[in-house]
Amino acid sequence: MRGGAVVLGGRTIWRDASFVVEPGTITAVLGPNASGKSTLLNLILGLVPLSEGSLRVFGQSPRRGNRRVGYMAQSRAADATSTLTGRDYVGLGFDGPRFGWGRDKTKREVLRRALTLTGTAAFCDQPLHSLSGGQRQRIALAHATVFSPELLLLDEPLAALDLAAQAEIVDLVNLVRDSTGAAIIVVAHDLNTLSSIVNQVLWIARRQVRSGSVDEVVNESVLSELYGHPIEIIVTPRGRRVIVGLEEEFAHPHPHPHPHGFEHNEEAHQHLSELYEEETS
């Protein structure tokens, strides 16, 4: 993207966005709720028009139904009660509006590869409602990879998961990148969970976008400029970044916690001292 801007309903979502996503890299998209993170994914999917600038996806304008682009949507409450099996759900990624197994050997082989890649073959024949949150996210990732996409878009894949499940999904995302060479864009609220696998960060705030490596973007100077007030970043001995001054980051309805991530200003230093005690003991 070069000089990109999005205006929806007369409202500027963000502007002046320029970045490149290279093959085999993982890009984290961060920022407050309703800042336009998911809008970026919709642009790449060809669902939302770019108002200014240019965006090329594999050298072409974004278009709907591009099989070179895989998409994993945010988890839905309905999945927790669905009687659809994991295998059938992954199959929907192959069928699109069609449904049914028929005698399509190609479909069976494509699904076998996706289930093997994501480690979901052992529980894919169970109904979604019987699976854990982490297992459902693995099934969703298999659904997104049925056509072996070269670009994979993940919209908050760690939402509503406990720490152990988050770590499993992060490892799986890294495995998919290493196994397929795909470029992966992950929308998230917490950098710390992803920091070990991320190559690039896009931070969206106050209609602005900053891109670069973790150190180039997640620093006091850049974030203070983005938010218009002083931001303090404290790095623990294990490399966790505690960001002080982003209270609005927590004023969102998402049900997932932010363990070891961004903290409320009044609690940050207490939490930091606890982290130091934990990491140096």
Side-chain angles (χ1 to χ4, degrees):
M1 180 180 291
R2 180 175 299 175
V6 179
V7 179
L8 298 175
R11 172 176 171 262
T12 299
I13 307 302
W14 41 257
R15 60 182 181 272
D16 299 328
S18 297
F19 61 90
V20 176
V21 176
E22 299 288 352
T25 62
I26 297 178
T27 298
V29 183
L30 303 164
N33 197 45
S35 60
K37 300 186 297 294
S38 295
T39 299
L40 174 62
L41 303 190
N42 289 333
L43 276 169
I44 297 171
L45 292 168
L47 303 178
V48 173
L50 195 65
S51 303
E52 296 178 11
S54 62
L55 172 62
R56 309 296 286 177
V57 179
F58 302 116
Q60 300 178 338
S61 298
R63 61 179 177 86
R64 295 172 182 249
N66 188 346
R67 289 188 175 183
R68 298 176 72 182
V69 181
Y71 174 61
M72 176 177 167
Q74 293 184 23
S75 61
R76 304 171 302 167
D79 295 338
T81 59
S82 175
T83 58
L84 195 69
T85 68
R87 186 184 298 273
D88 286 343
Y89 180 75
V90 176
L92 291 176
F94 183 92
D95 294 323
R98 298 178 292 112
F99 186 74
W101 282 93
R103 297 181 179 179
D104 193 331
K105 293 182 180 179
T106 299
K107 174 178 177 178
R108 285 179 167 81
E109 176 59 22
V110 165
L111 264 62
R112 185 195 66 78
R113 289 199 303 264
L115 295 170
T116 300
L117 175 65
T118 54
T120 52
F123 52 83
C124 68
D125 292 314
Q126 300 178 38
L128 292 176
H129 71 78
S130 70
L131 303 179
S132 68
Q135 288 174 327
R136 285 196 295 272
Q137 291 297 75
R138 294 172 77 95
I139 288 289
L141 189 54
H143 173 278
T145 60
V146 288
F147 289 116
S148 302
E150 298 167 59
L151 174 61
L152 186 57
L153 311 178
L154 310 180
D155 199 350
E156 298 204 36
L158 307 181
L161 300 181
D162 60 26
L163 280 174
Q166 287 184 21
E168 288 181 0
I169 296 301
V170 169
D171 287 344
L172 180 56
V173 170
N174 197 38
L175 174 65
V176 170
R177 185 263 302 269
D178 290 345
S179 300
T180 67
I184 302 178
I185 300 178
V186 186
V187 170
H189 278 280
D190 185 3
L191 173 64
N192 287 309
T193 311
L194 293 163
S195 60
S196 64
I197 67 171
V198 164
N199 304 104
Q200 179 178 221
V201 169
L202 300 180
W203 200 300
I204 305 175
R206 296 202 311 158
R207 304 183 183 88
Q208 305 171 80
V209 182
R210 296 291 182 273
S211 64
S213 67
V214 173
D215 288 337
E216 288 171 340
V217 175
V218 189
N219 62 64
E220 294 177 352
S221 175
V222 170
L223 293 186
S224 295
E225 178 187 357
L226 266 177
Y227 285 91
H229 61 81
I231 300 297
E232 181 181 4
I233 299 178
I234 306 170
V235 182
T236 73
R238 290 185 181 175
R240 295 169 177 165
R241 298 177 188 233
V242 179
I243 302 182
V244 183
L246 293 184
E247 289 76 13
E248 66 272 25
E249 289 284 332
F250 300 89
H252 58 74
H254 295 280
H256 54 289
H258 292 265
H260 307 309
F262 307 142
E263 302 298 323
H264 283 283
N265 191 29
E266 63 270 19
E267 298 175 358
H269 289 287
Q270 176 62 32
H271 176 66
L272 179 63
S273 65
E274 293 172 358
L275 283 176
Y276 266 88
E277 290 178 5
E278 171 191 336
E279 296 181 357
T280 57
S281 60

